[in-house]
Amino acid sequence: MTGRAKVILPLVVAGLGAGVAALAFAPLGNAARADAGSRETFTAARAMFRRALADAPDVDDAAKLGLNIRPSDGDWNGILLSEEEGDCAGRGAYLLREGTPFPLAITAPHRGSDHHTGTIAAELFAETSAAAAAWNSAPRRAGEACDAAIDLARQSQHIFTAFSLAFAETFPAGRVVQIHGFDGDKRNSEAARNADIIISDGTEEPSSKLLDLADCLSRRLAPRPVIVYPIETGELGALNNAQARVLREEAGFDGFVHLELSAQLRAELVQDDNLRARIGRCLMEAAQ
Amino acid sequence: MSLTFFFRTLFFLIVAAASVQATWLYSPALLQYLVEARSSTMELAKFDSRSLVYRMDMNRPISFTYSHPVKLTKIIVQPSVREDLRGLEEGFVYGLRIRLFDAEGEMVDQHDKYLFSRSPNEVFASGDVWRFFRDRPEVVAGQDELLIESDPRAAAIEFSVIEAQEGIEGVELRVYEHRPFQESQTRSTFNRRSNAEQRALAQANAFPPDLLADQEIANLTRNMWRPVGPNGIEGRDYTALVLYEGTRLPGLEDER
């Protein structure tokens, strides 16, 4: 590869990632209200996403949920479901890939407050063959920009949870990965403070599947510390995560993955294609 | 009432009273035993820790560069052996050549260490901790800890296998550099750790962490280590493996 190509290629890749992010991320600032959802909405969204993941979405069903459908304008084939630009209903944004994708969903329920997690999820989706991606469309905490914020990871009847459940029902052997961010300085234990990734499946007894993924990440990211809750730390186990609980209780799904990334690793991941590819390979292997 | 009937009734009452007394005395202990038995069964499947270890290539060295020049290096090393040799009574012998380099790449010291490692079965039978790989057929033999001093301070360390007994499939190691220690920050360094970590550090002490004197805390804080990763690329220059540790509990030995 020539010196010029070494400069241009990363810029093209970064541009494509930024394009996916721009396509999917409505500005958090245009916020008005956030809807935690109801049982009826949840049931309708679950059915809509099941159809969308298995075949094709029903435009009317999506519209009833306040979601518009647009075709992808990135280098992947599929659709984007999102609310009207400028609306801050917090229904979330969803990318569904067409064809025969990997049974992998990459999500970021706290983009914005957990810096870079939305960009990392978008880029991992674009760079892997993941079947779907999703993230929040309203901020986690209310502010001047949006006075009715929502914490999706605590909403068991939200469209985002219905999407996760529909995915688990469509791909029962697949993986639903949630990307979060943590601040090492705020952690209590030395292990968590020094970790780059804290991985859990939202239970006190991590499954063999989770340990396989943790081992892959440990090897591929060595010597960065990748630690497992609760074996190596008692913090950030996602025991109260709504999606983890609903997937487990309503679908018997054991493929939920809660990935907490350190601030340092997140900053590196948005810049470093190779580092991101190593995580992407582990996620793909885990979803096979 | 006949005498025989009287004695029968008396005997019955004595037995009944003894039963009530025994139930009163022993039922809490029995209940506790049942609870512990249930939880210990669950504990058998639990892991205590997992660590990243680096398997050495038998034919070429593996090197590590410290984050700062160090005087003291801690090395935890173990051989992994063929499954059919897990009970080898005479154990396993292997040798390591350890070379230390300064910042200019000049060798400042060299040590040849010959180590004896107990067989996996012996380690398992005699200790509380058992070690294993989840994804590999080899079994882990006895582990050793080495402390290597360097004067002058070293910037890098290199290891090569100079001898490995038949049956040793790999030698894995972890390398730790001694953390820089500032006398004035011992208390804050110690306090930054969680309560559980403070208790673990102070477990050999007669007093709980909150009753330790400054000098005792300084001694605990002085003994802190930071892991160092190898140079190169995983898969090409070294092989990274994840080593699990579990606590050996009653009943597990029979299962093995």
Side-chain angles (χ1 to χ4, degrees):
Chain A
M1 190 185 292
T2 66
R4 186 175 295 176
K6 280 180 182 172
V7 173
I8 291 172
L9 195 58
L11 288 174
V12 170
V13 172
L16 287 173
V20 172
L23 171 72
F25 297 162
L28 291 178
N30 301 336
R33 62 190 167 78
D35 184 2
S38 63
R39 195 66 205 175
E40 292 73 31
T41 310
F42 180 82
T43 305
R46 179 182 183 180
M48 188 275 291
F49 277 119
R50 284 191 68 163
R51 277 195 298 277
L53 287 161
D55 184 15
D58 186 310
V59 176
D60 292 338
D61 286 350
K64 284 177 192 167
L65 293 164
L67 295 173
N68 296 329
I69 298 177
R70 282 183 286 157
S72 157
D73 63 359
D75 61 347
W76 54 279
N77 293 323
I79 55 167
L80 167 74
L81 294 92
S82 64
E83 58 200 18
E84 281 291 330
E85 195 167 336
D87 193 359
C88 189
R91 298 182 187 99
Y94 308 88
L95 277 61
L96 308 184
R97 193 188 300 270
E98 288 173 354
T100 50
F102 266 77
L104 171 67
I106 302 172
T107 69
H110 296 152
R111 77 158 178 113
S113 61
D114 290 359
H115 294 307
H116 302 312
T117 55
T119 305
I120 292 166
E123 291 186 340
L124 282 172
F125 173 77
E127 292 161 1
T128 64
S129 303
W135 37 74
N136 55 316
S137 56
R140 184 180 183 182
R141 295 180 188 87
E144 286 181 14
C146 184
D147 59 0
I150 193 164
D151 179 355
L152 291 188
R154 296 194 177 268
Q155 306 300 329
S156 55
Q157 294 193 346
H158 192 273
I159 297 174
F160 181 82
T161 309
F163 157 79
S164 303
L165 184 56
F167 188 92
E169 289 167 335
T170 307
F171 302 106
R175 298 295 186 107
V176 174
V177 178
Q178 251 184 37
I179 298 176
H180 294 260
F182 73 98
D183 181 351
D185 289 340
K186 293 181 180 171
R187 305 293 7 127
N188 294 322
S189 65
E190 183 82 356
R193 269 198 297 276
N194 292 334
D196 265 324
I197 296 182
I198 301 175
I199 184 170
S200 77
D201 58 8
T203 74
E204 290 283 8
E205 294 182 23
S207 68
S208 182
K209 287 167 72 173
L210 186 88
L211 295 178
D212 289 343
L213 174 57
D215 290 355
C216 180
L217 291 170
S218 287
R219 287 192 301 268
R220 290 251 165 86
L221 301 182
R224 296 166 188 275
V226 176
I227 64 175
V228 178
Y229 174 94
I231 298 174
E232 293 159 284
T233 182
E235 301 181 74
L236 300 175
L239 299 184
N240 296 318
N241 185 285
Q243 288 77 43
R245 186 175 50 75
V246 169
L247 295 188
R248 201 167 52 244
E249 292 176 0
E250 295 201 28
F253 184 71
D254 67 350
F256 177 79
V257 177
H258 188 265
L259 274 186
E260 287 278 3
L261 310 180
S262 71
Q264 172 73 26
L265 181 62
R266 277 176 279 145
E268 289 181 44
L269 279 172
V270 293
Q271 303 283 344
D272 189 338
D273 303 345
N274 179 270
L275 187 61
R276 216 166 44 240
R278 283 187 266 162
I279 291 183
R281 276 201 293 275
C282 284
L283 296 181
M284 296 272 281
E285 284 176 18
Q288 276 180 328
Chain B
M1 184 188 293
S2 70
L3 194 60
T4 307
F5 180 75
F6 173 78
F7 277 116
R8 280 180 181 170
T9 306
L10 185 63
F11 178 73
F12 173 77
L13 288 174
I14 290 170
V15 169
S19 299
V20 170
Q21 178 76 359
T23 305
W24 179 259
L25 284 176
Y26 297 115
S27 62
L30 184 62
L31 191 63
Q32 178 70 21
Y33 169 78
L34 290 173
V35 169
E36 284 179 359
R38 193 177 66 169
S39 65
S40 73
T41 304
M42 287 160 59
E43 288 292 322
L44 293 181
K46 283 188 176 177
F47 306 129
D48 291 337
S49 68
R50 48 193 293 286
S51 314
L52 199 57
V53 297
Y54 303 101
R55 173 164 289 182
M56 299 173 62
D57 188 319
M58 293 292 195
N59 301 312
R60 60 183 181 144
I62 182 173
S63 61
F64 299 73
T65 302
Y66 304 114
S67 65
H68 63 282
V70 300
K71 270 191 170 178
L72 203 53
T73 306
K74 183 167 81 174
I75 300 143
I76 297 177
V77 60
Q78 73 203 16
S80 294
V81 302
R82 286 203 323 256
E83 164 71 27
D84 61 308
L85 297 175
R86 61 176 304 140
L88 194 69
E89 286 182 10
E90 55 266 40
F92 298 88
V93 175
Y94 62 107
L96 291 181
R97 174 158 298 152
I98 302 169
R99 302 201 302 164
L100 294 143
F101 299 89
D102 65 16
E104 276 71 49
E106 292 294 317
M107 192 175 77
V108 292
D109 206 352
Q110 175 174 314
H111 307 265
D112 284 352
K113 298 280 185 185
Y114 290 88
L115 302 161
F116 167 75
S117 189
R118 291 180 302 163
S119 73
N121 277 6
E122 196 182 336
V123 174
F124 184 77
S126 62
D128 292 327
V129 174
W130 52 292
R131 301 182 182 92
F132 56 94
F133 299 115
R134 290 180 63 246
D135 55 355
R136 298 201 65 91
E138 307 90 64
V139 284
V140 179
Q143 203 171 69
D144 268 302
E145 181 178 310
L146 306 174
L147 282 176
I148 302 292
E149 283 193 70
S150 175
D151 190 12
R153 290 174 187 270
I157 189 166
E158 179 193 272
F159 302 87
S160 0
V161 178
I162 49 176
E163 183 183 320
Q165 182 178 321
E166 166 74 17
I168 292 179
E169 298 283 286
V171 176
E172 298 94 31
L173 47 77
R174 279 174 274 173
V175 177
Y176 297 85
E177 63 185 20
H178 200 223
R179 282 192 177 186
F181 175 75
Q182 288 182 282
E183 203 75 47
S184 60
Q185 293 179 0
T186 53
R187 174 66 75 172
S188 61
T189 303
F190 187 77
N191 288 344
R192 270 173 56 80
R193 297 196 153 225
S194 69
N195 291 339
E197 288 166 340
Q198 289 180 11
R199 281 197 300 276
L201 276 172
Q203 63 185 355
N205 208 295
F207 298 105
D210 51 337
L211 293 181
L212 295 179
D214 283 346
Q215 187 54 48
E216 289 166 321
I217 285 179
N219 292 337
L220 295 175
T221 312
R222 197 172 278 126
N223 190 29
M224 285 188 179
W225 301 88
R226 180 188 291 140
V228 187
N231 301 329
I233 296 171
E234 203 275 327
R236 188 191 69 184
D237 302 301
Y238 60 89
T239 303
L241 302 173
V242 181
L243 179 72
Y244 281 76
E245 285 192 0
T247 306
R248 189 174 70 86
L249 293 166
L252 192 58
E253 199 166 351
D254 297 337
E255 290 178 18
R256 302 287 290 202

